[in-house]
Amino acid sequence: MTTVTGDISRVAAEAAIQAAVKKSEELGLKMNIAVVDNGANLVGFLRMDGAWLGSVDIAMKKAKTAIFFQMNTEVVGSLSQPGGDLYNIEHSNQGLITFPGGIPLLGSNGALAGGVGVSGSSVVNDKIVAEAALEAFKNLV
């Protein structure tokens, strides 16, 4: 679900967050989950009880990075390794996150509607939880 401007709606952001919380609980994790619109503005955020405070900013930056580059943060990371085309890009835009856990969300027309960022565990778990949010969003569009 998107707004008339094509941004992720509040309802869709809440559904994505709920799906991420459910997956986190299944895995026994405490996560920070951020959802941003297609301008990288925060639409929804949830810090699960006991989730790391240091991961609040990371979750938001993962979502922002996914929007700014219209790709999963792990792809940005693979391009930003020493010698890569985007080496040191994580220092731009007041800080980006270039490891897994940030995923762009595309509307039914294929246009960028928003992004989700998850942080609070290993990057493998962050990615799994972010993918659960993505699937919930896909089921709405």
Side-chain angles (χ1 to χ4, degrees):
M1 299 171 86
T2 58
T3 65
V4 294
T5 61
D7 292 302
I8 187 170
S9 69
R10 173 194 56 82
V11 172
E14 289 172 348
I17 289 170
Q18 286 177 338
V21 167
K22 181 179 178 191
K23 179 55 80 174
S24 298
E25 289 173 341
E26 287 172 8
L27 298 171
L29 305 171
K30 300 170 184 174
M31 296 291 208
N32 293 285
I33 305 145
V35 177
V36 298
D37 64 16
N38 63 16
N41 303 296
L42 192 62
V43 177
F45 182 86
L46 185 125
R47 178 177 166 261
M48 294 176 69
D49 294 343
W52 296 331
L53 290 173
S55 290
V56 169
D57 184 58
I58 295 170
M60 289 189 284
K61 285 182 177 174
K62 284 182 180 183
K64 178 177 82 168
T65 302
I67 286 294
F68 282 175
F69 296 95
Q70 301 174 13
M71 63 181 80
N72 291 8
T73 53
E74 70 183 298
V75 175
V76 178
S78 69
L79 297 171
S80 65
Q81 296 302 306
D85 291 338
L86 300 179
Y87 181 59
N88 274 332
I89 197 162
E90 65 273 11
H91 303 293
S92 70
N93 297 290
Q94 292 145 5
L96 302 173
I97 300 295
T98 59
F99 44 85
I103 301 176
L105 303 173
L106 304 178
S108 59
N109 60 358
L112 192 61
V116 61
V118 176
S119 183
S121 183
S122 68
V123 293
V124 170
N125 288 333
D126 292 354
K127 179 181 176 183
I128 290 168
V129 173
E131 288 172 340
L134 170 64
E135 289 306 311
F137 178 74
K138 283 181 180 179
N139 290 331
L140 294 173
V141 295

